[in-house]
Amino acid sequence: VQLQASGGGLVQAGGSLRLSCAASGRTFRNTFGWFRQAPGKEREFVAGITWSGSQTNYADSVKGRFTISRDNAKDTVYLEMISLKPEDTAVYYCAAAITPYQTQRYDYWGQGTLVTVSS
């Protein structure tokens, strides 16, 4: 499975962005997730969505501001981000798991897209 993330950029605090993650290769009923890594910090989980889309989960820091969704017909996962804060600045990575259910283990990773939120 190959993952291509896009949609990052520079935005002012309070603004919004939508990230996309296009999957290709041997995709089949994968759960997807978004992670981020800020400068000098460890990578952290942001949001996840099961293959069916019926279950989503979020880090507490983004609940109510970020929404993960997917379009299985396009093999694409999205992360809609609103009310962005400077502390959301990070490289955002999409990841895929071989399971269609909620999981903490992801098997495939994209290259990351940079989100910078200015104050």
Side-chain angles (χ1 to χ4, degrees):
V1 177
Q2 293 79 46
L3 303 172
Q4 181 71 41
S6 61
L10 174 64
V11 63
Q12 288 189 330
S16 61
L17 279 175
R18 188 175 82 155
L19 305 182
S20 299
C21 176
S24 60
R26 300 184 68 177
T27 60
F28 182 71
R29 300 186 64 179
N30 303 102
T31 283
F32 280 85
W34 285 98
F35 292 74
R36 66 186 182 186
Q37 186 167 19
K41 295 187 176 181
E42 292 188 352
R43 184 172 62 194
E44 63 175 356
F45 172 81
V46 175
I49 186 167
T50 56
W51 175 79
S52 67
S54 62
Q55 289 184 296
T56 58
N57 57 318
Y58 298 90
D60 288 342
S61 59
V62 306
K63 280 182 182 176
R65 300 188 299 121
F66 290 11
T67 303
I68 189 170
S69 63
R70 65 188 298 160
D71 183 340
N72 286 346
K74 297 181 179 179
D75 282 334
T76 301
V77 179
Y78 305 97
L79 186 68
E80 191 78 37
M81 307 183 293
I82 64 171
S83 302
L84 282 162
K85 306 174 182 180
E87 50 264 43
D88 293 319
T89 294
V91 176
Y92 284 71
Y93 299 90
C94 62
I98 59 175
T99 177
Y101 309 112
Q102 277 194 349
T103 181
Q104 294 184 341
R105 173 180 170 174
Y106 288 82
D107 304 284
Y108 305 97
W109 295 84
Q111 86 291 358
T113 185
L114 177 62
V115 172
T116 304
V117 184
S118 62
S119 57

